[in-house]
Amino acid sequence: MSSTCQSDHLGRLLGQCQHRMRMVMDRSLRQYGVTPVQCRALMYLHRQPEPVTQRQLEQYMAVKPSTINGIVGRLEEKGLLTRDACQQDARCRALRLTEEGRRFRSDFIRIAQDTNRQMEQGFSPEELAALHRYLERVAQNLAAQTEETEL
């Protein structure tokens, strides 16, 4: 099999896994009114000392400024976070979780853990360690490629 066919196959499998994981997460998060991407942003904010800048969240999520602006805007509309000008630089936006944004933290952790357990089912610890190494390498390969094209 040529490397092009293998790459296409790997991309299809990774896309299929991501799609199915998103479906599981969507179903689990529906009752909270957030999407998996919004949940990921909220969980990042939970783990960081406040305030977090919108730029920091953008870098963590690895998305464009317009994308993070939409994510933050929807979370703000839902009353889950606030977005204010930073004290040091008015162009910068400081993000802070509201009480409502903190409310479901333990539920979101449980949902993520349940989803991970479901994905890891049937793998030995050694297989999981190898899978993590391989996926990290794939991510690094793709990051290197995207960095080259952005220059």
Side-chain angles (χ1 to χ4, degrees):
M1 186 187 282
S2 75
S3 66
T4 302
C5 291
Q6 289 173 345
S7 297
D8 290 345
H9 184 67
L10 180 59
R12 182 186 60 76
L13 284 172
L14 288 172
Q16 190 175 40
C17 289
Q18 192 276 337
H19 176 72
R20 289 185 178 172
M21 183 184 74
R22 182 179 171 110
M23 288 174 56
V24 168
M25 292 292 291
D26 274 336
R27 191 176 318 119
S28 299
L29 292 169
R30 188 174 300 134
Q31 65 184 313
Y32 302 98
V34 297
T35 67
V37 169
Q38 292 168 348
C39 181
R40 185 171 166 227
L42 290 171
M43 293 310 295
Y44 175 76
L45 294 173
H46 279 290
R47 291 189 303 270
Q48 305 304 311
E50 286 190 341
V52 171
T53 67
Q54 190 163 319
R55 177 79 172 134
Q56 288 171 307
L57 181 60
E58 174 190 319
Q59 289 171 338
Y60 169 76
M61 303 281 291
V63 295
K64 295 185 234 176
S66 58
T67 302
I68 205 66
N69 198 46
I71 293 167
V72 168
R74 284 185 289 284
L75 290 171
E76 191 175 30
E77 287 170 8
K78 294 175 184 186
L80 300 174
L81 61 75
T82 61
R83 175 174 34 180
D84 302 301
C86 295
Q87 291 178 347
Q88 309 89 328
D89 183 351
R91 296 170 297 174
C92 169
R93 295 289 171 238
L95 307 177
R96 290 181 179 81
L97 291 170
T98 63
E99 197 56 43
E100 185 69 12
R102 289 184 193 90
R103 186 169 155 210
F104 300 115
R105 179 180 184 271
S106 60
D107 293 348
F108 293 163
I109 290 171
R110 179 190 46 77
I111 289 167
Q113 289 171 339
D114 290 349
T115 303
N116 277 326
R117 272 192 290 277
Q118 188 175 356
M119 288 187 295
E120 295 172 352
Q121 188 175 338
F123 286 96
S124 71
E126 295 79 17
E127 288 172 324
L128 283 173
L131 179 60
H132 280 258
R133 285 192 312 272
Y134 299 147
L135 290 175
E136 283 292 333
R137 192 179 319 158
V138 169
Q140 289 170 359
N141 291 344
L142 294 172
Q145 181 64 35
T146 57
E147 288 167 6
E148 288 174 11
T149 58
E150 289 176 358
L151 295 177

